[in-house]
Amino acid sequence: MDVIIEKTHALGRIRLNRPKAINALTLPMIEAIASALPDFAADPDIAAVLITGEGERGLCAGGDIRALYDARAHAGPHAEAFFRAEYRMNAAIKEFPKPYLAIMDGITMGGGVGVSAHGSVRIVTERTRMAMPETGIGFYPDVGGTWLLSRGPGEFGTYLGLTGDSFGGADAILAGFADYFVNSSQLPALIAALETLPATATLANIQDLVKGFSESHEPPHTPHLPEIDRAFAHDRLEDIIADLQASPSDFAKKTLAVMAQKSPTSMKVTLKLLRLARGSATLEECLEREFIATQRVVLSDEFYEGVRAAVVDKDRSPRWNPDKPEDVTDELVNSYFTIKLPKLFP
């Protein structure tokens, strides 16, 4: 079974179980999680739900993008079904009426963020490696990523969304993706303690329990926040790049080198999604917007070229078209926002 659903005393367990694929999400896995949530919510003997990943490598590496790549001939219908189910699940996690805990130990990226960072108690470790790396495969931060990234401090979320930069546990807390830092050696004891919770345990009870295992760490990105806030405050990608080019710092040079590898189209679409997300009142609004854009993504060559370079041929040399930000027109960017689809949340 790719997802193990079980009850341990008053704790509902969701265990992602594709360790060889770092628990990458498939449609049946998404459907299994979505089905388990209302059952756990209705069960009076369940106090909280905990999601974890099997194996040593991480919680979840994201959605199974190789499956989407292989289904290109039927991209529209297949992708619509996949993303519709996934985004509805993301919203259900956000609105889950009981404490929803996620242990983001190891790799937690893309769709892995969607099954964890919308929860109410989000735990990272010294092994956590998080990212919303979608601009590197011709995509954009989804699974409600635009909601999360637009609500971090200053422009940190804009930086993370455009660059796809990976970050550890302390930075995840800084960005608003997590709440508590627990050393990985303490996880078995923490889970054992959670399994002894009474059915009457409240969110405050659980937060107090987790705090007893947590520790504090300085986010590595803290020294760079002033430069990030300045450079990434612009609403045009070209202005962000120009600002970084004018900076003499090593951080700016490194950031420019990273952005040079990303899809210019994806970065522009991401920036627009992030700015629109700042004006959104709910996660659902952002998911609706992301859902519309997915259908443009899977009908374009950009996504398949990105997956080819990263996953299929693994040459890490995508040939983006257009390959320069200044050649990505407003018309092209706007085409990601105009496809008509039945709403996710009528």
Side-chain angles (χ1 to χ4, degrees):
M1 297 177 61
D2 289 344
V3 179
I4 300 170
I5 307 293
E6 59 188 3
K7 291 170 57 175
T8 309
H9 304 293
L11 190 64
R13 294 292 306 273
I14 299 174
R15 295 160 53 194
L16 305 183
N17 190 35
R18 292 184 71 207
K20 291 183 179 179
I22 320 181
N23 302 314
L25 296 173
T26 63
L27 181 56
M29 292 171 71
I30 291 167
E31 291 172 339
I33 297 169
S35 296
L37 291 177
D39 291 341
F40 284 142
D43 189 336
D45 295 327
I46 293 294
V49 169
L50 171 66
I51 187 167
T52 57
E54 297 297 294
E56 298 297 320
R57 299 172 69 189
L59 171 64
C60 176
D64 192 344
I65 58 173
R66 179 59 191 259
L68 290 174
Y69 179 92
D70 292 339
R72 182 173 186 175
H74 309 286
H78 179 83
E80 183 174 348
F82 180 90
F83 291 117
R84 183 178 292 277
E86 184 176 27
Y87 295 1
R88 284 178 169 171
M89 174 195 65
N90 300 145
I93 290 170
K94 174 74 171 174
E95 299 301 322
F96 192 67
K98 296 178 179 180
Y100 180 100
L101 297 84
I103 295 179
M104 298 178 274
D105 187 36
I107 294 172
T108 305
M109 298 184 179
V113 173
V115 298
S116 57
H118 298 304
S120 49
V121 181
R122 306 162 301 172
I123 300 159
V124 289
T125 76
E126 80 286 354
R127 301 190 303 199
T128 298
R129 296 309 302 168
M130 297 191 75
M132 298 300 289
E134 290 82 0
T135 56
I137 57 167
F139 209 85
Y140 54 84
D142 68 328
V143 297
T146 59
W147 168 264
L148 294 164
L149 291 166
S150 64
R151 277 151 181 79
E155 297 295 338
F156 192 35
T158 308
Y159 161 79
L160 294 174
L162 292 182
T163 65
D165 192 18
S166 65
F167 49 101
D171 277 324
I173 294 173
L174 171 66
F177 280 57
D179 306 297
Y180 303 101
F181 191 113
V182 176
N183 191 281
S184 60
S185 64
Q186 295 295 306
L187 292 179
L190 172 59
I191 293 173
L194 290 169
E195 290 176 344
T196 66
L197 289 169
T200 55
T202 65
L203 176 60
N205 297 148
I206 292 169
Q207 289 171 329
D208 287 342
L209 189 158
V210 176
K211 283 177 185 176
F213 288 86
S214 67
E215 51 192 54
S216 178
H217 292 269
E218 180 69 15
H221 274 93
T222 298
H224 305 300
L225 291 180
E227 183 158 21
I228 288 171
D229 287 349
R230 187 201 69 243
F232 286 84
H234 303 287
D235 293 334
R236 293 179 68 250
L237 180 61
E238 292 89 338
D239 293 336
I240 292 173
I241 292 171
D243 201 307
L244 291 168
Q245 288 172 334
S247 171
S249 75
D250 290 339
F251 176 78
K253 292 180 176 64
K254 178 185 175 182
T255 301
L256 283 168
V258 170
M259 293 175 69
Q261 302 301 312
K262 309 304 179 184
S263 161
T265 301
S266 292
M267 286 193 289
K268 283 201 170 184
V269 171
T270 295
L271 186 57
K272 182 169 181 175
L273 283 166
L274 291 174
R275 295 302 186 247
L276 290 171
R278 284 183 174 171
S280 296
T282 64
L283 168 64
E284 285 84 354
E285 288 182 43
C286 293
L287 288 168
E288 290 280 12
R289 198 178 293 120
E290 293 170 10
F291 181 55
I292 291 169
T294 61
Q295 300 308 295
R296 178 68 176 84
V297 166
V298 298
L299 295 176
S300 70
D301 293 333
E302 200 82 340
F303 169 66
Y304 299 100
E305 173 59 17
V307 176
R308 179 205 64 76
V311 178
V312 181
D313 297 337
K314 299 182 180 179
D315 59 26
R316 305 294 174 181
S317 298
R319 296 180 289 273
W320 304 124
N321 183 29
D323 62 357
K324 297 181 180 62
E326 58 268 27
D327 293 334
V328 179
T329 64
D330 290 344
E331 181 182 12
L332 177 57
V333 173
N334 290 337
S335 70
Y336 283 76
F337 297 81
T338 56
I339 293 176
K340 301 297 182 184
L341 291 170
K343 284 186 170 292
L344 287 173
F345 310 103

